Amino acid sequence: MKSHIEIQLIEKSKIDSVDFNNLPFGSVFSDHMLEIDFKDGAWQTPIIKPYSPITLDPSAKIFHYGQSIFEGMKAYKDAEGKMMLFRPLENCRRLNKSAERLVIPQIPEDVFMDGLKKLLEVDSDWIPTNEGSSLYIRPFMFATGNGFHASPANAYKLVICTAPSGAYFAGKVKVLIEEKYARAANGGVGFAKAGGNYAAQFYPTQLAIEKGYNQVIWTDDNSHQFIEEAGAMNIFVRINDTLITSPTSDRILDGITRKSILQIAEDAGIKTEVRKISVGEVVEAAKNGNLKEMFGAGTAAVISPIAGFGYQENDYDLPELENPFASQLKKKITDIQTNKVEDPYGWRVFL
C-alpha cells in the first residue's frame, strides 16, 4: 500500500535560472525536498515541501553527539525521457544498517521508496539529460531530540534533497598512501555512512593536498600496511590483468558501485579477487611494471582513475593504457544506469 504523502508545492520554480550545461556537483538544488519526522516512537506523515532551511533547537542532539547518517544515489533520464534509479533498495538497506549502528530508528523500505519516487515525480524536470549528468540524491537522517545528556535522542528527521549535477571528478587524480592517520577502526563505524567518518577525513586529506596530492589512500588502522579505501570511495587495483579490491569489514563501506563493478567485471571475463592488498605489493608491482591501474569507485564519480601515488617520499606513476578496465567498467555501469543497454541484473528501477 502506498504511503500517504503531504505535498506543498513551491509557488515559482527556480529552474529557469539554472544552466544545465554547466552544473557543478552538488551545489545547485532542486525545488522541493522530502521530510519525515520520527517522534513519539513512530514515523510521521511524509511531507514534500519547497527546499528551505531546517530550524533546530540549540540543544538538538545532532549538534552534540553526532547522530547523523546519509546516503548518495542518482536518478537518470534516458533518451525517451523515462526516469530511473540505480539499485535504490541497496541504498535504503545501507541507510538502515547505518541507522542501527548509530541507534537511529530504521525507515521502512516502502515509506522511503514511496517518498523518494513522489519527490522525483514532483521535480522530474530537474533530472538532467546531458551526457554525464544526473540528479544526485542525498537522503540523510539526524537526531532532532533535545537535551545535553549523552544518550540517543527521542526524535529524528529523515530528509531527501536533490541536486542536478555534472561529473564529480574531471581527469585522473594523484593520491598519497596514508601512513599515520586512519579512516576507521575495528569495531567502529567505518562501514556506516556516518557524517563523522567524513569529518575526520578532512584533516589528513588537507595535509595530502598541501603536499601536492588530490586525495588519500587509507590504510588499516593497526599496521598501515594494507590499503583499504581511496578518499571517500572503495579502491580497486589492477595487477597485470587481475582486478583486486579489499574485502568489506567494520572499517570498509559496502559500496554499491563496488559490488556492481565486481559483478560486471566477472561477467566480462575479467579476473577479480577480493582480498587484502598490502602497500608493499602495490609498490613492488609499480616498480616492476605489473601495476596497470588503480581507481576509486563510488556513487558520485562512479569510477575515478588514479594517475599515480606517493608513499614514503617516493612517487609512482601509473601507465597510460589504451583501453583500461576503468573506462570499460564505467561505460558498462553508466550504460545500464541510463538505459542504453539491457540490464541483465534487474538493477534499473523505472519511476
Side-chain angles (χ1 to χ4, degrees):
M1 189 174 74
K2 294 277 186 185
S3 309
H4 173 67
I5 301 170
E6 181 182 332
I7 300 176
Q8 303 169 4
L9 296 178
I10 198 166
E11 289 185 9
K12 180 175 172 53
S13 174
K14 57 182 182 287
I15 196 169
D16 291 340
S17 66
V18 175
D19 182 0
F20 279 81
N21 293 313
N22 294 285
L23 287 169
F25 181 84
S27 39
V28 175
F29 304 103
S30 312
D31 284 330
H32 298 89
M33 63 186 192
L34 175 75
E35 278 192 13
I36 314 177
D37 285 308
F38 181 92
K39 60 183 181 180
D40 301 325
W43 289 101
Q44 307 299 301
T45 300
I47 300 172
I48 291 173
K49 58 190 287 189
Y51 182 91
S52 58
I54 297 169
T55 301
L56 293 172
D57 191 285
S59 70
K61 291 199 174 184
I62 176 57
F63 299 132
H64 307 279
Y65 303 112
Q67 279 182 286
S68 173
I69 57 175
F70 71 95
E71 273 297 321
M73 51 203 302
K74 291 177 178 176
Y76 308 85
K77 272 184 182 175
D78 67 9
E80 297 177 356
K82 292 179 183 175
M83 299 184 293
M84 67 208 86
L85 294 161
F86 182 72
R87 309 189 74 174
L89 277 175
E90 292 286 340
N91 290 98
C92 181
R93 288 164 184 163
R94 191 171 63 183
L95 185 71
N96 279 333
K97 186 178 178 182
S98 299
E100 181 180 23
R101 181 62 179 83
L102 271 75
V103 199
I104 295 172
Q106 297 184 38
I107 185 78
E109 290 181 6
D110 59 338
V111 174
F112 179 90
M113 289 302 301
D114 289 349
L116 173 59
K117 289 178 179 180
K118 180 56 71 172
L119 177 64
L120 295 177
E121 180 184 311
V122 169
D123 275 349
S124 61
D125 290 344
W126 285 88
I127 304 177
T129 55
N130 306 42
E131 189 70 27
S133 296
S134 59
L135 186 71
Y136 185 77
I137 302 166
R138 171 54 59 88
F140 58 104
M141 297 167 66
F142 59 95
T144 57
N146 302 334
F148 292 149
H149 189 269
S151 61
N154 61 3
Y156 298 83
K157 187 184 290 287
L158 166 70
V159 178
I160 303 180
C161 298
T162 64
S165 298
Y168 188 64
F169 288 121
K172 294 187 177 182
V173 297
K174 186 180 176 185
V175 298
L176 178 66
I177 295 180
E178 183 56 54
E179 300 177 64
K180 177 181 178 181
Y181 297 100
R183 194 193 80 87
N186 286 332
V189 295
F191 69 89
K193 286 188 75 71
N197 289 349
Y198 297 80
Q201 291 186 29
F202 295 156
Y203 177 68
T205 301
Q206 186 58 44
L207 295 179
I209 290 170
E210 290 170 3
K211 293 179 180 178
Y213 300 92
N214 304 102
Q215 260 298 349
V216 167
I217 294 288
W218 300 105
T219 50
D220 67 286
D221 63 305
N222 184 30
S223 69
H224 293 289
Q225 290 302 305
F226 295 93
I227 66 172
E228 297 199 332
E229 292 201 344
M233 310 173 77
N234 294 120
I235 188 166
F236 283 82
V237 174
R238 175 184 173 185
I239 296 179
N240 292 318
D241 286 332
T242 301
L243 195 60
I244 312 164
T245 193
S246 303
T248 56
S249 67
D250 285 350
R251 304 184 306 274
I252 297 176
L253 190 72
D254 186 10
I256 295 161
T257 305
R258 171 189 175 276
K259 50 190 168 190
S260 302
I261 287 172
L262 285 171
Q263 182 68 64
I264 289 172
E266 289 166 8
D267 291 349
I270 296 172
K271 183 181 178 183
T272 63
E273 293 180 359
V274 178
R275 62 170 175 82
K276 287 186 174 182
I277 312 163
S278 73
V279 176
E281 180 183 9
V282 173
V283 170
E284 182 60 29
K287 287 178 178 178
N288 63 29
N290 293 331
L291 181 64
K292 306 301 183 183
E293 295 181 70
M294 295 173 67
F295 55 84
T299 297
V302 184
I303 288 176
S304 180
I306 294 170
F309 68 91
Y311 181 64
Q312 293 187 343
E313 306 301 323
N314 292 306
D315 284 330
Y316 303 88
D317 293 326
L318 276 80
E320 290 282 344
L321 302 180
E322 189 172 326
N323 190 26
F325 286 173
S327 298
Q328 296 177 44
L329 294 166
K330 183 172 184 177
K331 185 177 189 307
K332 286 178 182 290
I333 288 178
T334 55
D335 281 353
I336 290 174
Q337 289 173 334
T338 54
N339 200 27
K340 291 179 180 176
V341 297
E342 291 298 316
D343 173 17
Y345 311 107
W347 292 341
R348 207 161 43 215
V349 176
F350 289 98
L351 303 178

